[in-house]
Amino acid sequence: MKSVIVGTAGHIDHGKTALVKALTGIDADRLQEEKRRGITIDIGFAHLELPAAAGETLRLGFVDVPGHERFVRNMLAGVGGIDLVLLVIAADESIKPQTREHFDICRLLAVRRGITVLTKSDMVDRDTLEVVRLEVEDFLRGSFLDAANSPIVPVSSLTGAGLEELKQALVKVASEVPAKDSTALARLPIDRVFTMKGFGTVVTGTLISGTIRKEEELEIFPSEKRVRVRGVQVHGSKAEQAVAGQRTALNLAGVATEELARGMMLTRPATFHSTTRADVSLTLLRSAKPLKDRARVHFHSYTLETIAEVVLYGKTLARAGETAFAQLRLADPALLLPGDRFILRQFSPVVTIGGGVVLDAAPPRKGLKRAQEPFLQILDSADPQTVLKARVARRSDRGLSLGEAVAETGWRRELIEKYLGESMQKGHVLRIGELLVQAGAIEGAKLFATQTVSDFHKQNPLVPGIGKEALREELALSMEVLAVVLDTLTREGKLEVIGELVRLPGRGVVMKDEEAASKKIIEDAFASAGLKVPFLRDVLAGLKVDKTRAQKIVTLLLRDKVLIKISDELVFHHGALEELRRQMAAYKAKSPKIDVAKFKDMTGVSRKYAIPLLEYLDRERVTRRVGDERVIL
């Protein structure tokens, strides 16, 4: 069964609600105030099933909207997810202000199909009806409702005249509506929240993509609270699941009605991110005043309404009828994805001035506005493959994870892998685990890495190489990308990786004459001292090189294990410690144990040296302390 959402549009008192009731038998005015005042204040809903070709049944969900200018904000909450529109024009009044505004909104939202309905046809004579028809045809000429392609149907909700013709037109037009993707990631903009006795919290909305199933876990945006779907209704009937294009009611567990509101959105958990910035393509109506850079506006998308600041790209003023790239900075966080349509209304007085489409809901926080325009041009006009390559390229050598790609595009992981398949096969895009990186960015990172290591050697001649972590921080790369860069450069013979150090091939420590001499002085000082070593600071104080270079020389001697540090203050030559091991082995032949006093007698050192040396031997498992003695192992 194909589901299609039908929205009404038109001026107040032109008979939209009466038309919906005549078609479906359902009064979409649900509020007591609406019934008392005789006008529609908020969006209402109804449904109808009609037989279509080849035995198929069409399930039509109607979203009835208010026509009064004061309630356009409510009207906008209802038309975001419609597939076709019934533009309702009363035959006794013809085209009125909200006829024009609602029609402009439908065009800005890129509604592609619809039917023009001339209501109250019983209240005018044949000639008047024909004059109104001609006026309407002229008004709609060149639009998606042009009479050459879209029917104009006169009806009377009172007498029933024309209703069968309208149903036939609905079947024809609805059959042409492309089916929404039920396999896409689910998104349900909330338009109503209420409590139902015996059930608890219920929300309703038009499911704009994907499928929602009973007992499924969902996430509420922007609060990011997790909820469970306790029950599903589709067009008023219980169901196991709702699919894209259906009016849907969900009974939710784990959330109170006070935590929910119109404008929030339900979707798959741990998939998307809220945003307060979106780069867009916006179009101003020909009737709009020029829009200045940094102007404040009312922003509407699906059921969401908030205030936004418009930051224009490449210009300081957008004129009536123009299309421009801009960044919308929202007062409230929202879940937006590329392709989402929106409406802009002037801040004051509040009138519709334009609308457009979201291109990027994850724009960089920093960067030149000029640099963003070419990227937006690609997003606005290119195929999915080119769009994805551009998104990967934008991340340069940092890469774009598959999870980030899903969150940025709204496309399923499998689709992203499919779209990038050819680019990965040709080596234009590399996949490193879960990371997607442009091949050119890797080449750039290789050059930068080689130059960074070379510069490090020049600045640190007494250090054998740069540590991997220091190199990663310098290059601002992830560990995954750095591993690929280093692996490639080592295979190409341009770098060497020794443990955690990275260096140029064959590059060691380069010493000047005074540095080499200082190194020999340090080594000789400790080699000749045996176990009665001097303090390191005293040895370094007598050198001709500065303190920094002296410390680097010591680091080299420690790295090469010429010197061995056994405590914060004591450093020994490795030869002296090897001789100590031999002494301990010889002493073991006489006694399996040794205490501090005997150790001092054997080595001739004072307690200042004996205790640190014995603790060193414990760590090296030459001895094991037992009480006041050491067992020689």
Side-chain angles (χ1 to χ4, degrees):
M1 184 183 297
K2 183 177 181 180
S3 295
V4 175
I5 302 298
V6 182
T8 63
H11 197 74
I12 184 173
D13 203 30
H14 275 208
K16 297 183 293 297
T17 304
L19 176 65
V20 171
K21 185 174 182 180
L23 285 169
T24 67
I26 298 170
D27 185 356
D29 278 351
R30 54 190 168 79
L31 303 177
Q32 287 299 318
E33 187 179 358
E34 290 176 318
K35 298 183 185 301
R36 180 175 59 80
R37 295 173 62 181
I39 63 170
T40 299
I41 295 172
D42 202 0
I43 48 177
F45 311 101
H47 52 86
L48 173 68
E49 291 184 1
L50 293 174
E56 184 184 23
T57 298
L58 277 175
R59 175 181 279 168
L60 304 179
F62 287 85
V63 179
D64 183 37
V65 305
H68 196 288
E69 61 180 336
R70 288 174 53 197
F71 305 126
V72 171
R73 59 196 297 263
N74 289 344
M75 176 266 184
L76 285 165
V79 297
I82 68 172
D83 299 305
L84 67 89
V85 65
L86 296 181
L87 181 62
V88 176
I89 302 173
D92 63 338
E93 289 195 339
S94 191
I95 299 163
K96 302 292 280 184
Q98 260 49 63
T99 310
R100 297 180 185 277
E101 185 171 18
H102 284 202
F103 178 56
D104 284 338
I105 288 169
C106 289
R107 288 191 298 157
L108 291 167
L109 291 174
V111 178
R112 301 297 182 202
R113 291 171 176 81
I115 300 167
T116 305
V117 184
L118 302 182
T119 54
K120 304 187 180 182
S121 63
D122 58 309
M123 297 181 67
V124 298
D125 57 36
R126 186 185 300 272
D127 291 340
T128 302
L129 184 61
E130 186 58 29
V131 169
V132 172
R133 178 192 285 273
L134 292 173
E135 288 178 355
V136 169
E137 286 182 358
D138 187 58
F139 173 64
L140 299 174
R141 189 166 288 115
S143 74
F144 75 99
L145 287 179
D146 191 313
N149 306 307
S150 178
I152 298 177
V153 183
V155 304
S156 170
S157 301
L158 185 63
T159 68
L163 288 179
E164 284 305 315
E165 290 82 352
L166 178 56
K167 289 180 180 180
Q168 291 173 19
L170 276 168
V171 169
K172 182 179 184 302
V173 176
S175 298
E176 296 168 357
V177 172
K180 287 187 170 70
D181 187 0
S182 62
T183 66
L185 300 173
R187 285 199 299 158
L188 180 76
I190 296 173
D191 54 37
R192 287 181 67 205
V193 181
F194 54 94
T195 301
M196 183 174 288
K197 189 175 181 180
F199 291 91
T201 302
V202 176
V203 299
T204 68
T206 299
L207 188 55
I208 57 176
S209 63
T211 300
I212 293 178
R213 297 174 178 84
K214 190 176 177 181
E215 298 302 328
E216 187 174 4
E217 186 181 47
L218 298 175
E219 188 171 2
I220 305 166
F221 279 87
S223 68
E224 298 183 4
K225 184 181 179 68
R226 300 288 181 90
V227 295
R228 178 175 58 85
V229 178
R230 184 183 290 161
V232 178
Q233 280 196 358
V234 174
H235 298 291
S237 301
K238 286 186 178 180
E240 288 300 308
Q241 64 179 29
V243 299
Q246 292 180 336
R247 282 294 305 169
T248 305
L250 302 179
N251 179 204
L252 300 179
V255 65
T257 54
E258 296 78 17
E259 299 175 84
L260 297 165
R262 175 179 289 179
M264 292 182 173
M265 188 173 287
L266 288 165
T267 188
R268 192 172 78 171
T271 302
F272 298 115
H273 309 291
S274 298
T275 185
T276 54
R277 297 185 179 218
D279 283 346
V280 304
S281 171
L282 68 84
T283 300
L284 290 184
L285 294 172
R286 294 188 183 278
S287 59
K289 293 179 180 179
L291 183 67
K292 294 180 181 179
D293 185 36
R294 303 282 177 171
R296 296 179 77 202
V297 295
H298 294 269
F299 172 85
H300 299 261
S301 181
Y302 295 113
T303 60
L304 170 71
E305 176 189 358
T306 188
I307 301 299
E309 180 186 35
V310 181
V311 180
L312 295 171
Y313 285 123
K315 57 179 66 182
T316 58
L317 190 74
R319 301 189 182 279
E322 278 189 345
T323 296
F325 292 131
Q327 183 171 104
L328 300 181
R329 297 179 180 176
L330 309 179
D332 301 298
L335 173 55
L336 296 171
L337 291 178
D340 286 350
R341 307 294 304 194
F342 62 87
I343 296 295
L344 298 183
R345 306 193 80 211
Q346 193 168 279
F347 191 74
S348 181
V350 184
V351 293
T352 302
I353 58 172
V357 62
V358 174
L359 300 177
D360 184 23
R365 283 279 174 175
K366 297 180 181 179
L368 295 174
K369 290 166 66 174
R370 188 179 303 171
Q372 187 72 344
E373 285 189 75
F375 177 68
L376 295 180
Q377 287 170 353
I378 292 173
L379 301 189
D380 194 29
S381 58
D383 56 83
Q385 291 85 348
T386 305
V387 165
L388 273 173
K389 285 193 290 183
R391 288 188 177 277
V392 172
R394 177 172 66 164
R395 297 297 187 101
S396 187
D397 49 25
R398 298 186 304 279
L400 177 72
S401 73
L402 279 167
E404 290 168 336
V406 170
E408 284 192 15
T409 62
W411 298 333
R412 299 191 325 275
R413 182 189 179 101
E414 311 89 82
L415 269 182
I416 291 168
E417 292 173 331
K418 175 185 174 183
Y419 290 149
L420 286 177
E422 185 178 352
S423 294
M424 288 192 286
Q425 284 179 358
K426 291 181 177 179
H428 298 156
V429 173
L430 305 179
R431 180 168 175 178
I432 305 169
E434 290 291 291
L435 208 59
L436 303 167
V437 187
Q438 188 187 37
I442 293 293
E443 290 303 313
K446 286 166 55 182
L447 291 173
F448 191 19
T450 305
Q451 187 60 51
T452 300
V453 174
S454 177
D455 292 344
F456 181 86
H457 283 311
K458 291 175 184 176
Q459 296 164 11
N460 302 274
L462 297 178
V463 181
I466 184 172
K468 283 184 183 179
E469 180 58 24
L471 179 61
R472 187 192 70 78
E473 290 180 359
E474 186 73 22
L475 301 178
L477 298 178
S478 66
M479 287 304 298
E480 296 90 343
V481 173
L482 179 65
V484 170
V485 168
L486 292 181
D487 181 62
T488 306
L489 288 171
T490 53
R491 282 190 281 105
E492 293 174 353
K494 295 177 180 177
L495 287 181
E496 290 180 349
V497 179
I498 311 297
E500 290 299 309
L501 289 181
V502 183
R503 69 184 188 185
L504 294 176
R507 181 64 180 256
V509 174
V510 179
M511 287 189 174
K512 298 177 182 177
D513 291 344
E514 68 269 23
E515 292 165 346
S518 295
K519 180 185 177 188
K520 188 173 189 310
I521 291 170
I522 296 170
E523 185 175 354
D524 289 348
F526 286 95
S528 61
L531 295 178
K532 300 177 182 179
V533 294
F535 286 116
L536 179 61
R537 61 175 178 271
D538 296 335
V539 176
L540 299 186
L543 301 178
K544 293 181 180 180
V545 298
D546 59 76
K547 184 178 179 181
T548 301
R549 286 192 292 167
Q551 190 57 56
K552 288 181 178 178
I553 293 170
V554 172
T555 300
L556 285 174
L557 291 167
L558 291 171
R559 186 206 71 185
D560 295 338
K561 292 186 169 30
V562 174
L563 299 181
I564 295 173
K565 191 172 187 178
I566 69 168
S567 72
D568 291 339
E569 295 183 341
L570 294 177
V571 176
F572 292 83
H573 193 275
H574 76 95
L577 294 177
E578 287 299 320
E579 177 58 29
L580 176 59
R581 285 174 181 265
R582 286 192 289 272
Q583 284 182 280
M584 294 297 291
Y587 189 90
K588 183 180 180 181
K590 296 187 293 180
S591 171
K593 296 181 180 180
I594 191 169
D595 58 20
V596 175
K598 292 174 182 176
F599 183 81
K600 288 166 59 180
D601 291 341
M602 183 188 75
T603 58
V605 299
S606 67
R607 187 178 182 85
K608 178 180 74 174
Y609 296 105
I611 298 302
L613 284 168
L614 283 167
E615 289 174 348
Y616 165 76
L617 292 173
D618 291 342
R619 291 195 300 273
E620 292 292 305
R621 297 186 179 180
V622 176
T623 59
R624 184 178 73 248
R625 182 174 180 174
V626 179
D628 293 331
E629 294 183 313
R630 257 81 177 180
V631 176
I632 304 172
L633 303 176

